[in-house]
Amino acid sequence: MAQRDKFYINGEWVAPVESGRTFPVVNPATEEVMYEIALGSAADVDRAVAAARAAWPAFAATTREERLALLERVMQVYRKRMKDIGRAISDEMGAAQPFAERIQAGAGLGQIMTVYDALKTYPFEERLKSAMITREPIGVAGMVTPWNWPLNQIGCKVAPALAAGCAMILKPSEYTPTSALIFAEVLDEAGVPPGVFNLVNGLGPDVGVALSSHPDIDTISFTGSTRAGIDVAIRAAPTVKRVSQELGGKSPNIILADADFEKAVTGGARHCFNNVGQSCNAPTRMLVPADRMKDAARIAAAVADGLKVGDPNEAGTDLGPVVNRTQWEKIQKLIEVGVEEGATLAAGGPGRPQGLNKGFFVRPTVFADVAPEMTISREEIFGPVLSIIPYASEDEAVKIANDTPYGLAGYVSSGDLNRARNVARQIRAGNVNINGAGNEQHAPFGGMKQSGNGREWGRFGIDEFIEVKAVSGWGFED
């Protein structure tokens, strides 16, 4: 039973300093309150930071082998709790049950496994001529994670911090708290030393602000909206702490004229609708040759119309609801704006899917003939909405792709691999995928421009929790 009324601090489940502050967790498929969680305050953050600060020196002194053994135990316990984690994610953010367990919970385990592999050869010491370059844990880390991929984002922060030798305080999303509480139970059972990992539930204006501005926190790792990321950076600035951010996106998917068109459009549409469109790197802007617009709209509409939207627990469901009413209303408004601004509605549209009278369900929606200046082409919708944009030349496609304040991901399809590589080099994004390839988890993940800074995953994730020191004269004899 998850400890929803307590926080995990210094290896124990403890009551909040201020009692009575709670947050209702709503099942997005039923719109019913399932339970309430305790909300923390700056005082709870102070307790957690003090515990982390006290635990850090001993944990920083552990060896690579000791941390590898710890991560191995974490993975063993995590595997035992996969069904519990998947169930919690499905109930709280609406993912279809098989997807929640296999993909959502599986992504968190995958992050830990990747860091485990990276830690085996991570260069904590490196000779550079007469100097020794040492990579040391930065200290105490604050972490703020989102609701859309809760365990993936927790895994890609906590695992590298443990590998680096840091202590940490996690604030998970208030919309998906249970999977994070189960994760705390996993770390406790695996034997993470008291104080090394701490969890405080709460709201951004309370716990998030306290973490960002806390003088005894050395780095903040934040995943969320660009608006919130800006606030985190501003509050962190007076203490000159490091800030790593993975923020919003409006990722372009350039389908070149020589691509396998049916395959590329189908795959791009499916990827856009994956996780009900609630992924910051979703390929929501599909760019196609202008003379293939009708074909693209037809193929993408067939994908949208073929998806079963409904109860996450029902067999055969492809897409559950979006996470909450606020998101649902935002998505509905942007779909309506797309219609008002003159885009062609090829599939879906406003309102719930037929037969669903409650729950935050969204019709998978495809807009064709979208102009680059339209609202749906520029704003992050964070729902199952695809915009198909025509282009006249390859150069124009690249120009449209880069005409955005975001730069998290990009996608290119072509029958000529060298041509695809050339376009990929021109896209201003932290991650570019060619011909439907999935992300390589050992490669870095992160954004450019207003999609953030810093990198996660594998050894690049470990780097974010490391300070680099140069010891000159190391190679000289006295």
Side-chain angles (χ1 to χ4, degrees):
M1 185 69 179
Q3 301 271 358
R4 298 190 181 99
D5 60 343
K6 295 180 180 179
F7 308 138
Y8 186 74
I9 297 176
N10 204 28
E12 297 179 340
W13 292 99
V14 299
V17 173
E18 301 175 17
S19 62
R21 301 178 69 244
T22 61
F23 183 85
V25 179
V26 174
N27 184 317
T30 65
E31 301 185 43
E32 296 175 357
V33 174
M34 296 183 289
Y35 37 74
E36 294 189 340
I37 59 164
L39 292 179
S41 63
D44 296 297
V45 172
D46 286 343
R47 280 199 300 174
V49 172
R53 202 86 238 169
W56 174 59
F59 189 63
T62 57
T63 66
R64 181 197 310 268
E65 289 70 27
E66 288 171 319
R67 294 177 206 163
L68 283 168
L70 177 58
L71 287 174
E72 192 166 4
R73 294 195 302 272
V74 170
M75 290 186 288
Q76 290 172 350
V77 181
Y78 190 108
R79 289 186 180 97
K80 293 192 302 182
R81 302 299 301 274
M82 287 275 284
K83 286 189 178 297
D84 296 335
I85 293 169
R87 168 57 61 191
I89 292 172
S90 179
D91 287 346
E92 294 182 346
M93 62 83 62
Q97 180 58 39
F99 182 89
E101 182 180 338
R102 185 170 58 87
I103 305 299
Q104 284 271 8
L109 178 60
Q111 293 291 352
I112 303 168
M113 293 170 64
T114 303
V115 168
Y116 176 81
D117 287 342
L119 179 57
K120 293 175 182 177
T121 57
Y122 189 81
F124 286 104
E125 291 188 344
E126 178 184 6
R127 284 291 297 271
L128 184 59
K129 296 192 180 294
S130 68
M132 175 64 78
I133 309 303
T134 66
R135 293 176 173 85
E136 303 173 356
I138 192 170
V140 174
M143 302 170 176
V144 180
T145 56
W147 49 261
N148 60 321
W149 285 91
L151 260 294
N152 180 73
Q153 294 308 123
I154 290 173
C156 74
K157 297 180 191 303
V158 172
L162 291 173
C166 291
M168 66 212 75
I169 303 94
L170 168 68
K171 189 204 91 66
S173 170
E174 61 272 23
Y175 297 108
T176 53
T178 300
S179 57
L181 292 168
I182 295 171
F183 186 77
E185 294 174 356
V186 168
L187 297 192
D188 184 79
E189 184 177 341
V192 172
V196 170
F197 172 84
N198 305 274
L199 183 151
V200 178
N201 277 315
L203 304 179
D206 301 318
V207 173
V209 166
L211 288 171
S212 302
S213 58
H214 204 290
D216 287 331
I217 288 180
D218 303 292
T219 184
I220 288 284
S221 181
F222 174 85
T223 301
S225 70
T226 298
R227 174 194 55 77
I230 292 169
D231 185 72
V232 167
I234 290 171
R235 294 181 186 280
T239 52
V240 200
K241 57 170 59 69
R242 184 186 299 172
V243 179
S244 300
Q245 300 176 322
E246 196 254 281
L247 308 175
K250 192 70 178 176
S251 300
N253 180 10
I254 300 176
I255 300 177
L256 297 173
D258 63 350
D260 182 332
F261 204 73
E262 183 95 21
K263 179 181 179 181
V265 174
T266 298
R270 287 190 180 280
H271 193 173
C272 175
F273 299 139
N274 186 40
N275 203 41
V276 203
Q278 299 173 123
S279 299
C280 45
N281 63 337
T284 53
R285 290 187 296 146
M286 181 180 287
L287 281 65
V288 301
D291 61 356
R292 303 298 302 274
M293 175 58 69
K294 288 185 178 180
D295 290 337
R298 172 183 55 80
I299 296 166
V303 173
D305 292 339
L307 293 170
K308 180 182 177 181
V309 181
D311 185 348
N313 297 309
E314 188 174 310
T317 294
D318 297 304
L319 304 181
V322 296
V323 70
N324 58 38
R325 182 175 299 280
T326 299
Q327 288 295 120
W328 188 86
E329 291 176 348
K330 175 190 174 186
I331 294 164
Q332 296 303 313
K333 178 61 177 176
L334 285 167
I335 291 173
E336 292 169 0
V337 168
V339 173
E340 292 167 3
E341 292 186 353
T344 301
L345 185 62
R352 293 182 177 87
Q354 188 173 2
L356 295 172
N357 299 317
K358 65 176 180 178
F360 307 125
F361 297 97
V362 177
R363 300 170 68 189
T365 297
V366 176
F367 282 107
D369 306 304
V370 177
E373 65 272 14
M374 288 182 178
T375 303
I376 58 172
S377 182
R378 303 203 63 82
E379 288 193 21
E380 185 178 35
I381 299 175
F382 226 61
V385 181
L386 175 64
S387 298
I388 309 179
I389 305 167
Y391 66 84
S393 67
E394 185 176 302
D395 287 344
E396 185 185 27
V398 171
K399 181 179 179 181
I400 294 171
N402 289 332
D403 182 22
T404 172
Y406 298 112
L408 184 58
Y411 303 82
V412 185
S413 292
S414 173
D416 182 336
L417 183 57
N418 285 328
R419 185 182 183 191
R421 288 168 174 165
N422 179 57
V423 172
R425 289 188 179 99
Q426 297 176 67
I427 295 176
R428 291 282 296 161
N431 302 84
V432 182
N433 301 61
I434 292 175
N435 288 336
N439 286 323
E440 168 55 64
Q441 282 204 310
H442 285 85
F445 184 88
M448 299 180 182
K449 299 188 284 186
Q450 291 186 28
S451 287
N453 51 69
R455 293 295 181 265
E456 296 181 316
W457 299 13
R459 71 177 179 86
F460 298 91
I462 299 175
D463 286 343
E464 292 299 317
F465 297 97
I466 290 290
E467 288 281 25
V468 179
K469 178 190 292 183
V471 184
S472 297
W474 187 281
F476 293 120
E477 299 291 339
D478 290 338

